[in-house]
Amino acid sequence: MRLSSAILVAATAVLAGCQNKPALQVAGPPDPFGYMKRSAVCQVSPVKASEPARKATTMSVRSDDGNCVVLLQDGEHAYTSFGVAPAPEHGKVFLYNHNDHTVVMYTPNTAYAGPDHFGVTLIRGPGQPRDTLDVAATVDATGVVVPTPMITAPTPAAAAAKSTTKSTGKTTTRRRAKTTH
């Protein structure tokens, strides 16, 4: 009896340690896809309303092939729909809803440095007014190195100047390609 009580207490203690605990939450914006790289530099100012339906924010981001995120809500929920207009000239924007937030994810072109700007149209629901978000991004390329390819394609001028060999059985004739001056 004593042995079975000891086994029961030990088993209960072991099972108590196996309770389902919530997963450790990593600080930062959500990444439901699990493969998106964050930029080494991503600073977003608080979103401010300049007019009732017009919002604005600024963003500092590095062009290291990583992204920077702005989280938005319509009250306590994500927006019903959204779009990008105008699109950024030096990057791309990806919009999606996750955990009652609308996620605005901006990724600048690799090694670009300078200003960029884009707008987001946010739709609350059918028949409701639209909101707009203006994002002014400052992109830097500090420490970003773009690898050069090991093999480069020949230029058209170099290919035209290259001599050609023509074989006609017994005799080999060499002709130079014509060059224009």
Side-chain angles (χ1 to χ4, degrees):
M1 175 95 171
R2 204 169 204 201
L3 180 60
S4 62
S5 296
I7 292 173
L8 183 61
V9 170
T12 304
V14 169
L15 290 176
C18 294
Q19 290 178 356
N20 287 337
K21 296 178 183 175
L24 179 64
Q25 297 267 336
V26 178
D31 180 6
F33 310 104
Y35 62 86
M36 298 200 174
K37 177 184 170 189
R38 301 278 179 234
S39 178
V41 174
C42 174
Q43 297 171 343
V44 179
S45 69
V47 176
K48 295 183 181 176
S50 58
E51 297 172 21
R54 190 164 202 87
K55 302 170 191 230
T57 188
T58 59
M59 173 185 293
S60 295
V61 61
R62 181 159 298 147
S63 58
D64 56 3
D65 200 33
N67 61 55
C68 193
V69 170
V70 179
L71 295 176
L72 300 169
Q73 283 186 311
D74 174 28
E76 294 181 15
H77 302 287
Y79 284 87
T80 303
S81 188
F82 32 72
V84 177
E89 290 184 44
H90 306 286
K92 59 188 175 232
V93 177
F94 180 47
L95 305 170
Y96 61 95
N97 285 339
H98 182 68
N99 286 344
D100 282 332
H101 285 83
T102 297
V103 180
V104 178
M105 182 180 295
Y106 171 71
T107 306
N109 293 339
T110 303
Y112 170 73
D116 205 358
H117 176 268
F118 61 93
V120 179
T121 302
L122 302 159
I123 302 167
R124 297 177 194 174
Q128 294 186 14
R130 296 175 180 206
D131 293 342
T132 58
L133 173 69
D134 294 314
V135 180
T138 302
V139 184
D140 82 75
T142 306
V144 177
V145 178
V146 178
T148 55
M150 296 294 288
I151 300 172
T152 57
T155 61
K162 186 178 168 183
S163 65
T164 59
T165 304
K166 181 179 179 184
S167 177
T168 57
K170 296 181 183 177
T171 327
T172 302
T173 314
R174 287 196 105 135
R175 289 193 294 180
R176 282 201 96 33
K178 291 184 182 181
T179 57
T180 56
H181 295 280

